[in-house]
Amino acid sequence: AAEKRAKKAAGKAKAKEGADANKGAAAATAPDTALNVSALDIRVGKIVKAWEHESSDKLFCEEVDVGEEKPRLIASGLRAFYKLDEMQNRSVLVLCNLKARSLGGFPSHGMVLCASNADHTAVEFAVPPEGAKIGERVCFEGYVGEPEPENKIAKKKMFDALAPDLK
């Protein structure tokens, strides 16, 4: 019985070695699946309503029309850079494939895209392309592909990896 177990274990080890070798060969010949900006679902939106968050000095709460059945609720830490009246009816770019999460108790589902200087003392909205319609996806020349699902963006920290290249 001990001899049978030893043979069986040796057979399993040999099979595993072969599988590992095949795995390495497959990885070496696999097509390049480098992460690129097409993974992000960036859409043109319009802030239809904005208000100051009741318990945060930094957050605005917004209803943003991104071409869906109803506006998305999004919280943005922009109170140091914009007045409330500057937020109303503004065209913006929205990162839509982020998981919904609570910011200061407010259910935020997306991110309004902005640019800042190096020391983060100036922040400005990213401006949608001229003539772009609400809900239209913004793509980047030379980058093709469908956006990744919300859970994959979060799990693989894709936005964190791509954000430094967004300029």
Side-chain angles (χ1 to χ4, degrees):
E3 195 175 300
K4 276 187 177 180
R5 281 194 299 267
K7 278 186 180 180
K8 190 174 182 180
K12 281 185 179 179
K14 191 173 183 177
K16 186 178 184 326
E17 268 180 33
D20 288 347
N22 288 340
K23 216 184 269 182
T29 59
D32 182 29
T33 56
L35 180 62
N36 71 58
V37 74
S38 68
L40 304 178
D41 185 8
I42 300 172
R43 289 189 240 157
V44 176
K46 183 174 184 174
I47 299 173
V48 293
K49 182 180 177 185
W51 62 97
E52 294 176 352
H53 189 286
E54 62 187 39
S55 61
S56 171
D57 295 340
K58 296 179 181 181
L59 295 176
F60 279 120
C61 301
E62 303 119 18
E63 287 184 7
V64 184
D65 181 0
V66 290
E68 297 172 332
E69 189 176 308
K70 59 183 182 175
R72 284 189 180 222
L73 297 175
I74 297 177
S76 304
L78 298 172
R79 279 178 61 180
F81 307 102
Y82 286 95
K83 293 182 173 117
L84 183 58
D85 63 332
E86 294 174 308
M87 301 289 290
Q88 308 288 352
N89 296 312
R90 179 179 283 273
S91 291
V92 293
L93 292 178
V94 178
L95 180 56
C96 291
N97 57 343
L98 294 177
K99 279 184 140 180
R101 62 184 212 154
S102 180
L103 292 178
F106 182 79
S108 183
H109 191 198
M111 179 188 300
V112 175
L113 295 180
C114 293
S116 72
N117 59 357
D119 61 0
H120 204 69
T121 55
V123 174
E124 295 182 18
F125 284 103
V127 179
E130 189 75 30
K133 294 178 177 33
I134 291 174
E136 188 174 349
R137 184 168 179 231
V138 175
C139 299
F140 295 81
E141 190 174 325
Y143 295 94
V144 295
E146 291 301 310
E148 295 290 345
E150 292 177 358
N151 61 342
K152 192 169 182 183
I153 292 289
K155 186 175 182 180
K156 301 215 179 234
K157 299 185 186 223
M158 290 180 175
F159 180 72
D160 294 340
L162 291 167
D165 294 328
L166 296 176
K167 296 182 182 195

